Amino acid sequence: MNAVAEAIAFDLASQKLRELNQFLHGDLGMVKQVRVLNPDGAHSIAVGVNAPVTINIAGHAGYYAAGMNQLADVDIAGNAGPGVAENMMSGRVHVHGFASVSAGASAQGGLLIVDGDAGLRCGISLKGGDIVVGGDVGAFSAFMAQAGNLVVCGDAAENLGDSLYEAVIYVRGKVKSLGADAQFEPMTDADHVTVAGLLKQAGLTHDPKEFKRIASARSLYHWNADANQEY
Amino acid sequence: MDNNTPDTGPSLEESWGYDRKTLDYIQRASATGLYEIRGLGAKRRVPHFDDLLFLGASLSRYPLEGYREKCSSKVVLGTRFAKKPVELEMPITIAGMSFGALSANVKEALGRAASEVGTSTTTGDGGMTQEERNSSKTLVYQCLPSRYGFNPDDVRRADAIEVVIGQGAKPGGGGMLLGQKINPRVAKMRVLPEGVDQRSAARHPDWTGPDDLAIKIIELREITDWRIPIYVKVGATRTFNDVKLAVHSGADVVVVDGMQGGTAATQTTFIENVGIPTLAALRQAVEALEDLNMKGKVQLIISGGIRSGADVAKALAMGADAVSVGQGILMALGCNSGSYMQGGKHISAIADYTKLGTAPGFCHHCHTGQCPVGVTTQDAVLEQRLEPAVGAKRVRNYLKTVNMELTTIARACGKQNVHHLEREDLVALTVEAAAMAGVPLAGTSWIPGRQ
Ligand code: SF4
């Protein structure tokens, strides 16, 4: 097997982002690993990838890194800008630093791991993906989240889980406030198993028993006069 | 009887401010504690294309021979950045309407009709169905705030993407699909529990403001390898600025939806009181493009109350490149008709309108999911009332008629191409329309507010 063909590097200091993404959208042949050097906060790195390839971004990424990812395993050595792994369908995206706003927005599948903190609206409109945040999450995280899990190992800011549908949130630290229709619920054995599994995949060793469960009270599911402008 | 009393029965004087409509509204609100939600668009009279007229050819302009000389209606959309712009035979497209609001049968019928006449159709909130992709030669895929059903496979198989910022019926508002329309298939596509009232967000989840939108558009271009056009759709409000911002954000095509545009379910107060008329928005949009020297480089699609070939001709003369039709298409399918077709026979739907508390000609009950003619429903029985073949034929006939009317008017104005229609071919019937459209009041050279 040709070792050169299995790994390839793109240096964004000298090569265009377009070349990288076009390459990732083509027939990757034997290529199993793509390294992205000098990303320097570029936007839309490795978006729309639909192949089981490992992509190592050697630095900070701008907006929408690994957006709409399918199958790929994307590793971001630095921080990620807004909308990292937005609308991910499958695969895995691992941010070793911090993630900005809207991390994992509307992700339908796959796993997003953020080692540091995530900004506002982490997991907004989540549709089945899983997100594990090693640090804290900002306000309005999991806003209108429909399915999937958001695991927060640190604290959560204001209005967590506002207008939540069927996604479930687990928080280890403090929750500043819950949003409309979100409520604390007792952790079940199934919750412990879910949290343990996601922590394991994220390489974290917290005790699942330290987490609280937040889910929808489902009082906004039907439009009625008594909702009093809650939505 | 007193000789001075006229023999005409009691004198009934309806209040202008508290007419029957207002009384109904107050009494309904006090009985239910809820605002009214309904479908279709604004019902109030606003200055519209009806208030404009064409100056046909005479001595100062040559007409075209109606039945012999060709008049082209082709249009190309998305020439700015896309490698593969959308090429259509007619500048009349089918507006975005969601699977969820409409049945799968209807979506299929629209795709078939659009393909037959060489135009595009558009998905809506809720994603792309296999039926509509299969039946549509040119399909525009909407990227909405809810992102229901939005996925990269469909992005790649779309012919254009329309980033929806707003809708004319409810600029600044999100959406609501009432639970009765969430059948198992709709629920699955949207990843929602069956039967819940489904809310759609008003803002996109991963960007805020025009600077972010520019980056979002680049992401969509990168995902699609810069192949297909990106449209940006705005509800008509501050249209001059919005169109400029959409252009700065990198849109290939800007879609402006005026306040008469339809909706599947929105608060009546929103439909009737927010946004500006299509006529006013169109003029502002064209001026924004002219101001940026982008007229012809970024194409403009106008929608909101476009019904006939005359409306299309007037929109094009004012500077639009194409129009988009929603409610007209529903009506072509049988919306507000007293009957539906089943096995080649007309069957009365009057009793079902009555059940909804309405009648043909007055219905706006799309939100109920109980459409008497099977157009805006997910009900397994009701949706059978619209046979895709019948629907496709009716929509095809309607679009063909509208396009023929358009070319008839263009020929009468001496144009070999419908896009040669121009503002100076138009005059206005009312001072309001003259001011909004920026064309002179008929018989004068007066454009209110401009001269
Ligand atoms: S007839 Fe059907 S489509 Fe038309 S307004 Fe009534 S419910 Fe809506």
Side-chain angles (χ1 to χ4, degrees):
Chain A
M1 208 180 281
N2 185 343
V4 178
E6 278 197 359
I8 187 167
F10 280 82
D11 187 345
L12 292 188
S14 55
Q15 288 173 286
K16 289 202 163 69
L17 176 81
R18 187 77 283 273
E19 281 175 53
L20 166 69
N21 285 332
Q22 187 79 58
F23 175 80
L24 290 169
H25 298 164
D27 178 3
L28 296 180
M30 302 289 289
V31 175
K32 302 248 173 350
Q33 190 193 8
V34 175
R35 295 180 63 219
V36 181
L37 308 174
N38 295 306
D40 206 19
H43 306 317
S44 302
I45 298 175
V47 293
V49 179
N50 184 16
V53 59
T54 299
I55 300 166
N56 298 97
I57 300 172
H60 304 310
Y63 281 53
Y64 309 128
M68 300 201 108
N69 185 50
Q70 288 165 292
L71 303 171
D73 189 341
V74 184
D75 200 85
I76 301 171
N79 302 327
V84 61
E86 65 85 18
N87 220 114
M88 173 162 55
M89 305 298 289
S90 60
R92 200 180 78 119
V93 176
H94 189 162
V95 180
H96 290 268
F98 296 94
S100 181
V101 298
S102 303
S106 71
Q108 297 184 33
L111 173 65
L112 168 65
I113 303 160
V114 180
D115 288 351
D117 300 332
L120 307 173
R121 301 186 291 278
C122 176
I124 181 173
S125 296
L126 194 67
K127 290 174 169 55
D130 292 316
I131 303 177
V132 179
V133 179
D136 304 336
V137 293
F140 278 100
S141 285
F143 175 67
M144 286 183 98
Q146 298 166 227
N149 300 290
L150 170 62
V151 177
V152 182
C153 300
D155 300 337
E158 297 84 351
N159 295 307
L160 180 67
D162 193 283
S163 306
L164 199 57
Y165 283 105
E166 295 291 293
V168 181
I169 309 168
Y170 302 98
V171 181
R172 182 164 163 266
K174 290 189 287 290
V175 174
K176 189 134 192 219
S177 65
L178 293 178
D181 214 25
Q183 65 179 12
F184 287 106
E185 293 180 353
M187 289 284 283
T188 64
D189 289 346
D191 290 314
H192 291 135
V193 171
T194 303
V195 174
L198 289 169
L199 289 173
K200 189 164 177 234
Q201 288 185 67
L204 295 165
T205 54
H206 304 298
D207 181 354
K209 297 214 168 71
E210 295 170 1
F211 287 78
K212 295 172 275 292
R213 176 191 157 101
I214 294 120
S216 176
R218 300 175 181 160
S219 63
L220 297 183
Y221 277 20
H222 297 283
W223 182 64
N224 68 69
D226 303 323
N228 288 329
Q229 297 292 309
E230 287 289 332
Y231 64 101
Chain B
M1 189 186 278
D2 175 350
N3 282 346
N4 293 328
T5 307
D7 189 15
T8 54
S11 158
L12 302 175
E13 187 186 359
E14 186 172 31
S15 161
W16 181 83
Y18 295 89
D19 59 1
R20 272 165 286 182
K21 206 170 101 187
T22 309
L23 288 172
D24 271 0
Y25 152 73
I26 293 174
Q27 279 152 13
R28 190 186 172 283
S30 51
T32 63
L34 288 174
Y35 43 49
E36 183 192 49
I37 285 188
R38 69 167 173 86
L40 299 186
K43 292 193 170 187
R44 62 155 71 207
R45 161 104 176 99
V46 294
H48 198 29
F49 292 116
D50 293 327
D51 302 312
L52 301 183
L53 295 172
F54 276 103
L55 301 174
S58 58
L59 262 183
S60 52
R61 294 275 192 288
Y62 276 157
L64 248 62
E65 215 46 85
Y67 299 98
R68 279 191 281 113
E69 290 175 283
K70 278 218 158 58
C71 177
S72 169
S73 63
K74 286 184 197 293
V75 66
V76 185
L77 303 167
T79 52
R80 188 183 185 188
F81 292 118
K83 284 185 214 158
K84 204 170 167 291
V86 164
E87 293 182 29
L88 305 175
E89 293 300 317
M90 58 169 69
I92 307 153
T93 66
I94 300 183
M97 291 179 278
S98 70
F99 169 64
L102 305 185
S103 71
N105 275 1
V106 172
K107 286 307 247 178
E108 186 189 332
L110 298 188
R112 276 158 71 168
S115 303
E116 280 178 46
V117 300
T119 190
S120 61
T121 185
T122 312
T123 66
D125 210 352
M128 184 190 287
T129 64
Q130 196 58 44
E131 291 92 331
E132 70 182 332
R133 179 60 282 187
N134 290 349
S135 61
S136 311
K137 180 168 171 282
T138 308
L139 183 58
V140 181
Y141 187 32
Q142 287 192 329
C143 174
L144 290 123
S146 74
R147 305 283 165 90
Y148 289 134
F150 195 67
N151 69 77
D153 296 324
D154 289 341
V155 166
R156 283 186 286 260
R157 61 184 190 149
D159 299 294
I161 294 172
E162 181 170 289
V163 180
V164 180
I165 317 293
Q167 197 176 324
K170 49 176 176 179
M176 166 74 91
L177 188 64
L178 295 181
Q180 56 263 41
K181 292 182 91 165
I182 313 271
N183 73 9
R185 185 174 174 201
V186 174
K188 187 160 179 270
M189 272 179 80
R190 298 181 184 219
V191 197
L192 282 172
E194 240 177 272
V196 306
D197 293 340
Q198 164 259 291
R199 295 155 279 156
S200 294
R203 293 194 295 243
H204 281 260
D206 55 351
W207 62 270
T208 23
D211 295 338
D212 280 5
L213 174 59
I215 303 170
K216 183 72 197 171
I217 287 177
I218 297 277
E219 185 208 9
L220 292 167
R221 291 197 192 284
E222 282 293 323
I223 291 172
T224 54
D225 295 321
W226 294 69
R227 194 171 37 85
I228 57 176
I230 312 285
Y231 301 6
V232 171
K233 176 175 178 173
V234 292
T237 55
R238 295 172 184 84
T239 307
F240 182 75
N241 290 334
D242 287 343
V243 168
K244 280 191 154 185
L245 290 170
V247 172
H248 282 308
S249 300
D252 291 301
V253 175
V254 182
V255 184
V256 175
D257 192 23
M259 73 172 284
Q260 300 102 305
T263 169
T266 299
Q267 299 93 328
T268 301
T269 191
F270 208 147
I271 298 175
E272 298 289 355
N273 296 293
V274 184
I276 62 169
T278 303
L279 199 62
L282 174 53
R283 182 63 207 252
Q284 285 201 7
V286 172
E287 281 178 354
L289 292 176
E290 286 170 349
D291 214 52
L292 294 171
N293 201 21
M294 292 303 263
K295 183 89 181 59
K297 295 177 192 136
V298 169
Q299 283 79 35
L300 174 66
I301 300 180
I302 188 82
S303 58
I306 306 276
R307 304 148 297 176
S308 63
D311 288 349
V312 182
K314 290 166 187 175
L316 264 50
M318 281 182 64
D321 294 282
V323 304
S324 211
V325 182
Q327 293 167 93
I329 296 290
L330 297 184
M331 288 162 197
L333 287 166
C335 160
N336 268 298
S337 154
S339 64
Y340 54 94
M341 294 281 283
Q342 210 84 119
K345 290 204 181 68
H346 283 282
I347 299 178
S348 172
I350 308 278
D352 294 304
Y353 282 101
T354 310
K355 255 193 257 165
L356 290 174
T358 185
F362 301 91
C363 188
H364 54 218
H365 292 59
C366 313
H367 62 289
T368 63
Q370 300 298 309
C371 176
V373 290
V375 177
T376 53
T377 181
Q378 295 297 326
D379 181 277
V381 175
L382 289 173
E383 73 172 356
Q384 300 306 322
R385 295 186 178 181
L386 195 278
E387 295 172 358
V390 174
K393 189 170 171 209
R394 293 179 59 101
V395 172
R396 187 197 64 197
N397 285 346
Y398 172 57
L399 289 170
K400 271 177 63 184
T401 306
V402 171
N403 201 51
M404 283 193 296
E405 288 172 351
L406 163 65
T407 53
T408 299
I409 289 175
R411 283 191 175 100
C413 293
K415 318 290 185 187
Q416 289 176 321
N417 186 317
V418 295
H419 301 287
H420 294 167
L421 286 165
E422 55 199 322
R423 217 139 54 204
E424 73 139 30
D425 293 320
L426 291 171
V427 292
L429 277 170
T430 67
V431 174
E432 289 82 358
M436 286 186 193
V439 301
L441 190 65
T444 78
S445 56
W446 181 42
I447 305 177
R450 288 171 200 261
Q451 286 166 11

